[in-house]
Amino acid sequence: MVERHTEYPSLQEAQISSRMADESTFIAVKPDGVQRGLVGEIIKRFEQKGFKLVAMKFVQASEELLKEHYTDLKALPFYPGLVKYMNSGPVVAMVWEGLNVVKTGRVMLGETNPANSKPGTIRGDFCIEVGRNIIHGSDSVDSAKREIGLWFKPEEVVSYKSCAQSWIYE
Ligand code: UDP
Ligand code: MG
């Protein structure tokens, strides 16, 4: 039997962490989601899927931060209303980590317009109008990096080993 040096991760553990370590997404429960008591439900869905929570804060976001967060949309007619909506109460800002978490996170959210979102998705199950669609999720790996940097200091994103890792990844 080959002896294993326990201070080094096994090949399987190393492969799991290299596949997982590469992706994080920024998820935020918007003010309507907070007011409607959907914070727990939303966190539950990401937890139960198997994604790993690595940062979270409950915060009243400034207008300045929100304008920057949605800067790509600033030419669009709904932009001022969007910033006002996002500034109308506290939000829960989070970073979730896992394999393909950006794309899968978007699938879990549903479409931007809840009317086009299938039942089983967060927007499909809990909201009706595009301007009150309860949750934000990064749309690409690059925007996730930008958004995480905007909402969190590097030391607020926690690195830890999940005991469920080898039960979630093969
Ligand atoms: N939004 C809106 N009216 C629109 C389109 C978007 O109020 O016609 C809001 C909505 O809250 C949406 C946000 O602007 O979530 C950002 O728009 P984006 O196209 O980035 O959609 P998302 O990435 O959130 O699905
Ligand atoms: Mg977007």
Side-chain angles (χ1 to χ4, degrees), residues 1-11 13-14 161:
M1 204 175 97
V2 180
E3 239 185 89
R4 201 181 127 203
H5 295 276
T6 48
E7 67 268 33
Y8 298 114
S10 67
L11 179 60
E13 279 165 355
K161 186 175 172 353

Side-chain angles (χ1 to χ4, degrees), residues 22-36:
D22 36 45
E23 211 166 290
S24 305
T25 194
F26 176 71
I27 299 290
V29 183
K30 295 179 174 182
D32 46 346
V34 172
Q35 295 291 342
R36 293 181 52 207

